[in-house]
Amino acid sequence: MNFWRKMKRSDWVFPTVLLSLYGFFANCRPAEPFLTPYLVGPKNISEEVVTNYLFPIWTYSYLAVLCPVFLLTDLLRYKPLIVTQGLFLVTNYILLCFATSLSALTYLQFNFAMVTSTEVAYFSYIYSVIPPEHYQRATGYVRSAMLTGYTFGATLGQLLISLADTSYFHVNAINLGIMSVAFCISLGLPMPQHGMFFKKKAEVYTDTLNEVTDTFGGETDLRKQTTGTCCDWGNIKISGIQMWESLKESYSSRRLVQWSLWWALATAGYGQVFNYVQLMWDHIEPSTTSSVYNGGVEAVCTLVGAAAAFSVGYIRVQWGVWGELSLGVFSAIGAGCVFLMGLTNNIWLSYAGYAIFKASYMFLITVTMFQIAVNLSMECYALTFGINTFFALTLQTILTAIVVDNSALGLDIETQFLVYGGYYSTISVLFLVQGLHTICKHYRKSPEETNTDQPPATTLEDKYGSDRRDLGPQNVYKQSAF
């Protein structure tokens, strides 16, 4: 009891522990790797309906609610959105357990879009309730809890299916219980005193009033008029100006724009592969007649991706010179893996291709996040994260509308993966050409130019030197769909 009271008095341990617990349970979803087998099996929905009708609704809904949720997240100070996410997670698995009609499963896609859109609140909450000197440690704990939860959930699901012979319905029922625990934990999170953007009003007014007081002396009526107001038009206007200035700072660097461009392009393709890979596996080896190892594969892929992401902090590369070429090379590897998944009839080759594809993506998205984060303030980074995610989702929506939706091409799952492979090939060529140009330009410089015209620091070592005690590697992991 004394330990609990001491932890609650801490300025960062208590919210970090609660948020980590929430992240673990909210991402511990043993039923998620088996969504497609559950829908095409016990729910008796055809593969075509799942591919060309149900899953595209999630993409469209996610894009529709992302911007309003992003703005409300900061305005409402994070916790209400995290609680909302927990509530929608509970609703999600109630529907999966008991919904039978196609209309209810259609709403399920919108419901899960609300879950994924509120992830921005989870990622941003910690920075509004703890001092900046604890950002790095808290971020590491929170992301590790997410990763551990997802890996444990996928492993538990596979063990229940393969060893305990548990039905898909009962796995979803277990998942419902876990989500209920996550929702209860979210209610205990402390409420932040301010957001990251909607926090400056009191400070601006205080500075203004101090100047007035210094000039005229005494307390003015303005102080009385502004006391107690927190969220009026003036605050929104000031916050909007701050967001615009942060946006200009974020995208003023050509190099950061290039990293953000890869982020948006590659994440859109990754989202499509991740969303539809279960359908690909079910097409290669139908779950109704074969054993399913989706949970084990996802657990292994998560660990491989985490190891790749973790290795970033220990790789010494001059990313300002070699970064674009690396993006091109690893995008080419990803393209080859997607082509393999689309062309092979061997389920184990498809599993292996997915593992390599996911690991290469996790490696590069971690590098990208580092390159952006070390050059921006926390406010700018949060905004850049939101903008990049929005553009990625917009591209993913375009891909879905053209390639997947029945109202357009409505391609079968094999052809879809060939399209996604071509999409990644295009990204690869784009960055390979730019990377070769950057390298040639760098080595053509004379020694004098190289010494006097160094590019700005873009890596942890360039900016902070070899002592990285406060900027160690983070396991960056994010799931964006079922």
Side-chain angles (χ1 to χ4, degrees):
M1 184 64 68
N2 290 334
F3 172 77
W4 183 256
R5 290 174 179 172
K6 183 178 179 181
M7 188 174 68
K8 291 191 72 171
R9 289 196 297 268
S10 171
D11 58 353
W12 74 283
V13 175
F14 180 68
T16 301
V17 168
L18 277 187
L19 196 65
S20 297
L21 286 173
Y22 174 80
F24 175 86
F25 285 100
N27 288 276
C28 182
R29 306 172 192 171
E32 184 171 288
F34 305 96
L35 174 66
T36 296
Y38 182 53
L39 292 177
V40 301
K43 292 296 182 182
N44 197 29
I45 302 174
S46 68
E47 182 181 305
E48 291 74 22
V49 171
V50 174
T51 305
N52 304 120
Y53 173 71
L54 282 180
F55 283 3
I57 292 174
W58 171 83
T59 306
Y60 302 148
S61 301
Y62 188 12
L63 181 64
V65 301
L66 180 62
C67 282
V69 168
F70 178 75
L71 295 175
L72 286 173
T73 294
D74 199 72
L75 183 64
L76 298 180
R77 292 182 290 168
Y78 308 104
K79 179 181 175 177
L81 275 297
I82 297 176
V83 174
T84 300
Q85 184 188 55
L87 181 62
F88 275 102
L89 278 169
V90 172
T91 306
N92 193 75
Y93 286 94
I94 290 176
L95 290 170
L96 278 173
C97 286
F98 303 109
T100 56
S101 66
L102 185 60
S103 58
L105 293 174
T106 300
Y107 171 74
L108 173 67
Q109 304 303 309
F110 172 79
N111 186 87
F112 197 75
M114 289 298 299
V115 171
T116 49
S117 66
T118 48
E119 285 178 349
V120 65
Y122 178 83
F123 290 123
S124 304
Y125 171 89
I126 200 68
Y127 305 117
S128 65
V129 294
I130 66 171
E133 60 268 21
H134 297 298
Y135 278 178
Q136 189 70 23
R137 290 179 65 187
T139 302
Y141 294 148
V142 168
R143 291 192 182 278
S144 297
M146 286 182 60
L147 184 66
T148 304
Y150 187 84
T151 304
F152 179 80
T155 304
L156 176 62
Q158 189 64 62
L159 293 175
L160 290 171
I161 296 293
S162 298
L163 299 183
D165 198 25
T166 308
S167 67
Y168 291 132
F169 171 81
H170 288 104
V171 174
N172 277 276
I174 293 171
N175 213 141
L176 173 60
I178 296 173
M179 295 305 104
S180 300
V181 173
F183 173 68
C184 293
I185 293 174
S186 71
L187 297 174
L189 290 169
M191 187 72 176
Q193 297 302 311
H194 54 70
M196 296 191 71
F197 289 103
F198 292 94
K199 67 178 180 180
K200 298 297 185 183
K201 183 182 184 221
E203 297 173 8
V204 172
Y205 278 150
T206 299
D207 293 341
T208 304
L209 291 173
N210 287 340
E211 292 177 4
V212 172
T213 302
D214 292 340
T215 304
F216 298 102
E219 187 173 9
T220 66
D221 292 335
L222 182 60
R223 184 183 299 276
K224 297 177 182 178
Q225 294 172 6
T226 58
T227 301
T229 60
C230 61
C231 193
D232 59 12
W233 173 249
N235 190 20
I236 294 175
K237 184 177 180 180
I238 292 171
S239 301
I241 293 173
Q242 184 189 359
M243 285 185 181
W244 176 247
E245 292 299 323
S246 298
L247 186 64
K248 289 195 296 183
E249 178 184 340
S250 299
Y251 295 99
S252 59
S253 166
R254 181 185 67 86
R255 187 168 296 154
L256 291 185
V257 169
Q258 290 175 335
W259 287 106
S260 295
L261 177 63
W262 183 88
W263 180 336
L265 291 172
T267 301
Y270 171 80
Q272 288 298 95
V273 172
F274 177 80
N275 286 354
Y276 294 95
V277 71
Q278 288 188 33
L279 285 158
M280 188 73 244
W281 292 337
D282 199 78
H283 176 79
I284 296 173
E285 199 162 292
S287 57
T288 54
T289 59
S290 306
S291 299
V292 178
Y293 299 99
N294 296 4
V297 171
E298 285 290 357
V300 171
C301 290
T302 301
L303 292 177
V304 172
F310 186 82
S311 68
V312 171
Y314 299 94
I315 296 176
R316 299 187 177 185
V317 175
Q318 194 174 356
W319 293 108
V321 178
W322 297 96
E324 292 163 339
L325 186 65
S326 300
L327 294 175
V329 169
F330 279 93
S331 296
I333 294 173
C337 292
V338 176
F339 277 126
L340 175 64
M341 286 186 276
L343 294 173
T344 186
N345 291 320
N346 187 306
I347 189 65
W348 295 104
L349 283 178
S350 184
Y351 286 156
Y354 179 67
I356 298 171
F357 169 79
K358 192 167 188 175
S360 63
Y361 172 80
M362 294 309 302
F363 175 81
L364 287 183
I365 198 66
T366 306
V367 173
T368 302
M369 287 181 171
F370 275 16
Q371 295 305 302
I372 292 174
V374 297
N375 286 283
L376 297 175
S377 65
M378 186 55 65
E379 289 88 349
C380 291
Y381 177 62
L383 183 62
T384 303
F385 178 89
I387 296 297
N388 290 350
T389 301
F390 174 76
F391 280 115
L393 186 57
T394 301
L395 290 171
Q396 187 178 345
T397 303
I398 294 172
L399 281 173
T400 301
I402 296 174
V403 176
V404 183
D405 201 304
N406 271 330
S407 60
L409 297 179
L411 300 177
D412 61 83
I413 193 65
E414 288 179 313
T415 310
Q416 283 184 40
F417 269 71
L418 296 181
V419 172
Y420 303 148
Y423 174 83
Y424 257 92
S425 298
T426 303
I427 297 174
S428 173
V429 171
L430 176 66
F431 282 91
L432 281 173
V433 171
Q434 182 62 38
L436 291 172
H437 172 74
T438 300
I439 292 172
C440 292
K441 185 178 178 181
H442 174 78
Y443 284 103
R444 282 175 182 171
K445 285 184 177 181
S446 65
E448 292 79 9
E449 292 175 316
T450 303
N451 292 331
T452 59
D453 187 26
Q454 291 290 339
T458 56
T459 69
L460 298 177
E461 289 188 12
D462 291 338
K463 189 169 183 178
Y464 297 99
S466 59
D467 185 4
R468 293 177 292 175
R469 289 170 296 177
D470 298 326
L471 287 164
Q474 299 175 19
N475 289 331
V476 180
Y477 185 79
K478 179 175 181 292
Q479 292 295 343
S480 61
F482 277 115

